[in-house]
Amino acid sequence: MRVFSAANRFGAIALSLALLAGCASNDTSEEEEDEFAGVQERELYELARTALDDNRYPIAIERLEALDTRYPFGAHAEQAQLELIYAYYENSNWEEARAAASRFIRLHPDHPQVDYAYYLSGLSAWQAGRFSLERLRLIDISKRDLGASRDAYNDFRELIQRYPQSEYAADAQQRIVYLRELMARHELHVADYYLRRGAYLAAVERGRWVIENYPESSATRDALATMVEGYQGLDMDDRADEVLAVLRENAPNHEQLQGSRFVPKHLGQNY
C-alpha cells in the first residue's frame, strides 16, 4: 500500500508540474500575442508612424498589421492600410504590397488616395519583374518570363485610364513606355525562336501580335521583318511582298533591307 501511495503521490506531482508548465506556456504565448494589448488606436498609429519615419519597415509593418487587426473601422484605419502598402513596398514584400493594394482598392474604391494604391501596386509588380543582374546589364530582361512586368503594365495603364489627372500619372506613363518596349521585344525573342525552329506560322502570329498590341513600340519594324520571313518560309510570297512593302515604307533603313533585297535571318535564301 505504501508503494502504491508513493506512486500516486509522484504521479500527482508530475501531473501538477505538467499543468503548471502548460499554463506557463499559454501565458507566454498570450503575452506574445498581446504585445499591443491596452495600446489605444492613436498611440499604436503614432508608434507605426515613428517606425516609418525612421525607415524601420519590419517594425512598422508589425504595428500597422496590429492596428488593422485591432481597429479595422477606427479613425486611422484607412490611412494605416495605405501606409501598410507603402511599408510592404519599401521592405521589398512585393506580393504582400500588391495584395494589400488590391484589398484597399476593393474596400475603398472612392477614396481620394485610391490612385496611390494603384500606383504602389504597379511599382511593386515593376520591382518584382526586375533583378539585380539586369541593373548590372548582365542579362536581357526581355528574354525572361514577364508575368510581373505585365502586371505592372496593367496596373499603370488602369491608373492612367481611371485617374488621368493623378500626380502619379506622368511617372506611370513613362514606365508604360518602357514596359511596352520590353514586352514587345520579349515577343520578338519568341518569334525568332520559332523562325529558327521552322515554325513559320507561329512566328508570323507573334509578329502580328506585336503590331496589333504595341503599335507605338519601335519593335513593330522588327515585327514586320519577322512576318516577312515567316511568310517566306510558308511559301506565301504574295503575303510576304505585301508586308515587305509596308516595312520598306516605314523603315527603309532596316538592317534586313539591302537595296531592293530583303535578307532573312534564318532562311537559306534572299528575297
Side-chain angles (χ1 to χ4, degrees), residues 79-251:
Q79 188 61 31
Q81 290 168 13
L82 275 174
E83 290 173 357
L84 183 58
I85 302 170
Y86 173 75
Y88 282 140
Y89 171 77
E90 289 292 343
N91 202 48
S92 301
N93 296 5
W94 316 127
E95 291 185 8
E96 289 86 345
R98 283 179 54 76
S102 177
R103 174 174 175 256
F104 184 88
I105 292 168
R106 185 178 69 255
L107 293 176
H108 314 291
D110 299 321
H111 192 279
Q113 290 181 281
V114 71
D115 59 327
Y116 182 60
Y118 278 106
Y119 181 63
L120 281 182
S121 181
L123 282 183
S124 297
W126 168 282
Q127 292 293 354
R130 297 172 68 89
F131 300 86
S132 59
L133 287 177
E134 185 225 353
R135 297 188 182 97
L136 296 174
R137 299 185 182 277
L138 297 180
I139 63 171
D140 182 352
I141 193 174
S142 66
K143 296 179 182 179
R144 308 182 69 102
D145 176 71
L146 300 183
S149 295
R150 289 191 185 93
D151 289 339
Y153 180 84
N154 292 332
D155 285 342
F156 289 137
R157 189 170 62 174
E158 188 164 5
L159 167 62
I160 291 173
Q161 290 174 346
R162 289 177 177 269
Y163 308 99
Q165 304 304 317
S166 169
E167 62 180 294
Y168 311 108
D171 182 70
Q173 182 59 53
Q174 291 181 354
R175 293 176 188 273
I176 282 176
V177 172
Y178 168 82
L179 290 167
R180 184 168 56 219
E181 292 292 327
L182 180 70
M183 292 187 289
R185 289 294 168 189
H186 176 75
E187 294 298 327
L188 289 181
H189 280 299
V190 177
D192 189 73
Y193 169 79
Y194 286 143
L195 287 176
R196 286 186 281 109
R197 299 282 293 181
Y200 301 119
L201 180 58
V204 168
E205 292 301 324
R206 287 280 178 164
R208 180 182 292 112
W209 196 91
V210 169
I211 293 170
E212 291 176 352
N213 289 275
Y214 306 114
E216 298 176 3
S217 168
S218 63
T220 54
R221 298 168 178 81
D222 290 333
L224 288 169
T226 295
M227 292 180 67
V228 173
E229 188 165 351
Y231 280 132
Q232 291 172 351
L234 292 168
D235 293 325
M236 300 176 65
D237 293 342
D238 290 344
R239 299 301 301 273
D241 290 342
E242 291 174 4
V243 180
L244 182 55
V246 177
L247 176 63
R248 285 179 175 144
E249 180 180 353
N250 290 274

Side-chain angles (χ1 to χ4, degrees), residues 16-78:
S16 299
L17 291 174
L19 290 173
L20 288 173
C23 292
S25 176
N26 290 337
D27 289 343
T28 301
S29 61
E30 288 177 2
E31 288 177 2
E32 292 174 353
E33 293 177 0
D34 292 342
E35 177 182 356
F36 300 105
V39 180
Q40 298 301 308
E41 180 189 6
R42 178 68 185 179
E43 182 183 357
L44 186 52
Y45 177 73
E46 292 298 336
L47 289 171
R49 281 296 321 170
T50 298
L52 278 177
D53 293 341
D54 294 339
N55 300 327
R56 294 181 295 154
Y57 300 113
I59 295 175
I61 289 171
E62 181 182 5
R63 293 171 179 176
L64 289 168
E65 287 177 340
L67 184 62
D68 189 40
T69 299
R70 292 175 176 276
Y71 304 101
F73 305 106
H76 302 284
E78 294 178 7

